[in-house]
Each structure stands twice: as structure tokens, then as C-alpha cells.
Amino acid sequence: MTSAIPVGDAYPYLRAASAGIRHHTRAQAPRSEHPALPADRAHLDVLHAHLTSLHQLLDQLADTTRPPHPAAGRHLATAHTRLWQATAAVHDAFHLLPVADTASTDTECHPERLPEGPPVLTICQRHLAAGHAVRRRTTPADLNAPAPGHTTTCAQ
């Protein structure tokens, strides 16, 4: 996908993150010799981390865009809400997947001894922190509302 806006060196890390997601999407595509594997908890944890970071970025962009360009700011705020709904769905899916039982006998890792807690809780800690920020700015009605049909100004 190319952009009509010249990119130059603007936002190189965001472009790299997008390229990484495109690469991962292509790598996950099913092929005849390697059928696609279902998502696992580690995969959804990393995806959730990405979504919460993107959610925070959209929050900041909506805040800075709203005063000079109210209509654009409202659209970014709507995207912020919809992204939170996607993030919450990924979090819920994470907890519905089975826990991999790959622990060996004596050489197994003991994540419960980590100072930040077991890795299974990091997604919950991240989700609670992001949820706190969401609830400060968004009403429950907005969070539970279905996505409205939207129109675009781009030629299709």
C-alpha cells in the first residue's frame, strides 16, 4: 500500500511497526505446505501489547488534533474507542485459549517467581492500565455501542 503523502524520514518507527505487521500477516497466511496455525496465548499477548500502544498513540493524536480540527479529532476519538473494543476482544480471546503445557521436570521456568508476576498476568496488567485511561475519557455507552456505518471522503 502506497501513500500519496511523501513520507521521507517522518515517523520511521511507526513505519517499521506497520512493516512488521505486514510481514507477520504474510508469514501467517496459509500455504499448501504449511497450513496456518491457530493463534496461541503468546501471539495474542504480543498483539495486545501492540494494540494498547496504538491505542495510546490514537489517544494522544485525538487530543492534539481536536482543538484545531474538531471534525478530524472526533474521527480519531471514534477510532480510539473502536480500537479499545478490538483490544478488549483480543484480551478476552487470550483467556479463552488453552494454556500450553510445555513445562519439563526440573528445568522448567518458574514465572510465578518473577518480580512482575507470571507472564500470563502481564496482559491483564496492561489491559487494566489501558482500561483505566479509557474509562477516564469514554462513557460505557460509547464503549458498548456498535460501530456506526461511516462514510469516507476518499474515492473508492
Side-chain angles (χ1 to χ4, degrees):
M1 183 176 280
T2 60
S3 173
I5 301 171
V7 179
D9 286 331
Y11 316 110
Y13 295 112
L14 192 55
R15 282 196 335 266
S18 297
I21 289 174
R22 283 191 305 273
H23 173 75
H24 186 73
T25 301
R26 283 190 301 268
Q28 289 292 310
R31 297 184 194 105
S32 58
E33 67 273 6
H34 299 293
L37 297 174
D40 60 6
R41 287 180 135 210
H43 197 169
L44 292 185
D45 185 30
V46 173
L47 182 59
H48 186 270
H50 181 79
L51 288 172
T52 54
S53 295
L54 187 57
H55 184 261
Q56 185 178 11
L57 176 61
L58 267 175
D59 188 31
Q60 292 171 355
L61 289 174
D63 280 350
T64 58
T65 303
R66 192 175 290 120
H69 308 286
R74 283 191 301 274
H75 280 285
L76 289 173
T78 299
H80 174 262
T81 301
R82 300 300 173 240
L83 185 59
W84 174 251
Q85 291 170 334
T87 304
V90 168
H91 178 255
D92 293 344
F94 173 89
H95 287 292
L96 292 174
L97 289 176
V99 177
D101 189 21
T102 58
S104 62
T105 55
D106 281 358
T107 59
E108 71 182 49
C109 177
H110 294 281
E112 66 278 0
R113 297 181 190 160
L114 296 173
E116 65 274 7
V120 70
L121 294 181
T122 58
I123 189 171
C124 294
Q125 292 167 347
R126 183 184 326 112
H127 195 72
L128 288 172
H132 179 70
V134 167
R135 284 186 294 279
R136 284 187 317 205
R137 296 173 179 253
T138 312
T139 66
D142 289 339
L143 290 176
N144 294 321
H150 68 282
T151 59
T152 181
T153 57
C154 297
Q156 295 181 354

